[in-house]
Amino acid sequence: MEILVTGGLGYIGSHTVVELLNNGFDVVIVDDLSNTERFVLNNIEEITGRKPAFYPFDLKRRDLLRQVFEAHNIQGCINFAAYKAVGESQVIPLDYYENNLFSLINILQEFRERGLSNFIFSSSCTVYGQADHMPIDENTPQKPAESTYGKTKQMGEEILQDFARAYHRKVSLLRYFNPIGAHPSGKLGELPIGVPNNLVPYVMQTAAGIREKLNIWGNDYDTPDGTPVRDYIYVVDLAKAHVAALQKLLDSGEGTQVDIYNLGTGKGSSVLEVVQAFEKANGVKVPYQICERRAGDITIAYANADKAERELGWKSDTPLEEALRTVWQWQKYLEKRKKETV
Ligand code: UFG
C-alpha cells in the first residue's frame, strides 16, 4: 500500500518513513529539500534496505503533485511538510501561511477529487498555549496561538476538521510535544541548518564546541528549579505513533472520522534537567549561562497521552538519557561525514 509522506526527508518525516517501510508500507516522498539534504534518502535506504519513491518539489506546485497521484496508487498521507521556526514565523508570517496552508490545501484537493481518505496532520501542543492545568489532555481548552507558526497549526487542524466533515473522510491530528533524539543507527537526526532554536540541538552543538555556551532563557519561572518544563519525546517513539494512527484509520470503516492524540511521554523535564541528563548520558560538559526570558515561552507543558495508549496501543517509554545518547551519536556521525565530504 502506497502512502504519501510530505516532508519525508525532514527530521520527524525521515524517522517515520523508516517505520513505515519496516512495517511493509510503500512510501512516496515529496520534499523540496528546503530544510534537509538528499543524503537522508540514501540513509533511509541503508537502514531499511528499501527505496522509497522520491519527488523533489514544492507542494505549492499543484501540477507536479497531480502527476504524483497519477503515477502512484496512494491510499493515505502523512503531512510533515511545513516551516517550523517559531521566531522566524513572526518575521515572515505570509511565507508561513502560504507554505504551510497552501501545500496542505493542495494535497486535500487531490484527496477530495480522487475520493481518498486517511490523512495524518502534524500538529503541536502549541495549540494549548499555557494550559491552566497539567497534564494536558486532548480536551484541555485551546488558546489563541501567539506565533504565526502556531496559528498555521490551529488553522491546519480546522481545515482538516472541515475536510473530514464535508467530504466524509478520515483524518488524524497528532499534537506533538517536544521531539528529540536521533535514529539508533546514527544515520538520521535533526540536520543542523543555521543556528538551532530548539534546546536539544543547541545543547548538542555546545557540547561539541560549535557554540560557546548554551543560553538558558530564564530561571525565574514558577517551576521546581526555575527553568521551564517540557515533555521531551523520543523521535523514534513519535514516528511509531504515526504508523499506529495510520493503521487505525485504515482499519476503520468509511465515513467521517477525526482522531486527535497528544503525543508525549507524560513526564515533564526542566531545561536544567535536560542539560544534566545530556552531560550524564554522554560524559561531556555543556557550559551554560542564565539569560533573560525568551519572548513567547510558556512555563510548563507536559502531556496526558493516555488516549493514544488506550486507542492506538502506543506509549513513549524511551528514557530521556537514552534519547540524549542518540543525539551525541548523531553529532559524531555529522562530524565524520563533514570530514569525508571536505
Ligand atoms: N531553551 C533555552 N535555550 C535555548 C533553546 C531553548 O533555554 O537555546 C529553552 C526554552 O526557553 C524552553 C525550552 O528550552 O523553555 C524548550 O525550548 P524549545 O525551543 O526546544 O521548544 P519549545 O517548547 O519552545 O517549542 C516547541 C517546538 C515548537 C512548538 C512548541 C509548542 O519547537 O515547534 O514546542 O509548545 F510550537
Side-chain angles (χ1 to χ4, degrees):
M1 178 180 297
E2 288 186 293
I3 304 298
L4 175 64
V5 182
T6 72
L9 297 186
Y11 175 43
I12 307 170
S14 59
H15 289 83
T16 303
V17 168
V18 165
E19 295 304 320
L20 286 168
L21 292 171
N22 285 343
N23 281 278
F25 290 97
D26 296 315
V27 173
V28 179
I29 295 174
V30 176
D31 193 311
D32 67 357
L33 298 168
S34 60
N35 196 24
T36 186
E37 292 181 37
R38 206 176 259 269
F39 81 87
V40 174
L41 185 64
N42 300 334
N43 288 7
I44 289 172
E45 200 184 341
E46 279 181 29
I47 293 166
T48 62
R50 299 186 60 202
K51 198 179 175 61
F54 172 53
Y55 297 90
F57 67 84
D58 183 331
L59 286 156
K60 295 196 287 301
R61 288 287 304 272
R62 179 89 188 270
D63 53 334
L64 297 179
L65 186 60
R66 190 169 292 131
Q67 289 173 21
V68 172
F69 277 91
E70 273 157 19
H72 296 274
N73 181 20
I74 287 166
Q75 297 295 316
C77 174
I78 308 183
N79 182 38
F80 293 104
Y83 292 161
K84 61 171 185 178
V86 175
E88 182 185 66
S89 77
Q90 299 296 86
V91 183
I92 49 168
L94 286 183
D95 295 311
Y96 270 67
Y97 288 123
E98 182 179 40
N99 188 63
N100 293 3
L101 299 179
F102 282 18
S103 56
L104 173 64
I105 291 168
N106 276 345
I107 311 165
L108 292 177
Q109 288 284 28
E110 290 297 324
F111 263 55
R112 178 182 62 82
E113 284 177 12
R114 294 165 198 277
L116 300 176
S117 196
N118 310 314
F119 194 100
I120 298 193
F121 179 65
S122 300
S123 188
S124 164
C125 64
T126 195
V127 301
Y128 301 112
Q130 179 56 74
D132 297 332
H133 302 286
M134 292 297 130
I136 298 170
D137 68 25
E138 291 80 358
N139 295 320
T140 297
Q142 294 194 25
K143 302 228 167 104
E146 286 198 21
S147 70
T148 298
Y149 160 79
K151 287 178 197 162
T152 67
K153 292 299 173 193
Q154 289 182 324
M155 289 176 192
E157 285 201 5
E158 288 187 23
I159 289 168
L160 280 162
Q161 301 256 15
D162 281 351
F163 168 77
R165 177 190 50 74
Y167 309 112
H168 313 292
R169 310 295 163 95
K170 298 183 282 181
V171 306
S172 196
L173 313 178
L174 303 184
R175 295 176 179 159
Y176 312 153
F177 282 67
N178 290 53
I180 58 160
H183 196 264
S185 65
K187 291 179 180 171
L188 295 178
E190 190 163 10
L191 277 178
I193 296 173
V195 181
N197 294 302
N198 294 121
L199 178 63
V200 171
Y202 208 103
V203 166
M204 175 180 98
Q205 292 200 353
T206 307
I210 300 167
R211 313 275 159 209
E212 198 189 333
K213 269 186 194 141
L214 168 72
N215 296 315
I216 293 186
W217 307 121
N219 67 350
D220 57 351
Y221 285 90
D222 185 15
T223 60
D225 66 21
T227 63
V229 168
R230 298 286 187 276
D231 186 337
Y232 295 93
I233 174 174
Y234 182 43
V235 67
V236 175
D237 292 343
L238 186 61
K240 288 179 176 160
H242 290 75
V243 179
L246 176 67
Q247 198 59 58
K248 178 166 181 263
L249 293 183
L250 292 170
D251 290 345
S252 59
E254 299 285 299
T256 300
Q257 181 176 328
V258 180
D259 290 343
I260 301 178
Y261 296 109
N262 281 349
L263 299 179
T265 66
K267 184 177 176 300
S269 304
S270 74
V271 176
L272 280 171
E273 281 171 340
V274 171
V275 170
Q276 283 154 10
F278 190 93
E279 291 182 329
K280 186 156 172 249
N282 300 308
V284 291
K285 268 287 178 225
V286 181
Y288 67 82
Q289 61 187 359
I290 306 293
C291 305
E292 292 291 304
R293 290 181 178 200
R294 182 171 71 176
D297 272 352
I298 56 172
T299 302
I300 181 164
Y302 59 89
N304 174 335
D306 291 354
K307 187 177 175 213
E309 183 172 2
R310 221 169 37 243
E311 296 187 8
L312 301 177
W314 170 91
K315 189 174 178 352
S316 171
D317 47 17
T318 305
L320 181 61
E321 275 188 34
E322 195 178 321
L324 293 172
R325 260 195 295 279
T326 65
V327 173
W328 195 231
Q329 200 185 343
W330 172 238
Q331 172 60 26
K332 296 290 153 203
Y333 173 81
L334 290 171
E335 286 170 11
K336 187 163 151 267
R337 201 175 167 273
K338 198 169 166 199
K339 269 196 210 126
E340 284 168 1
T341 48
V342 162

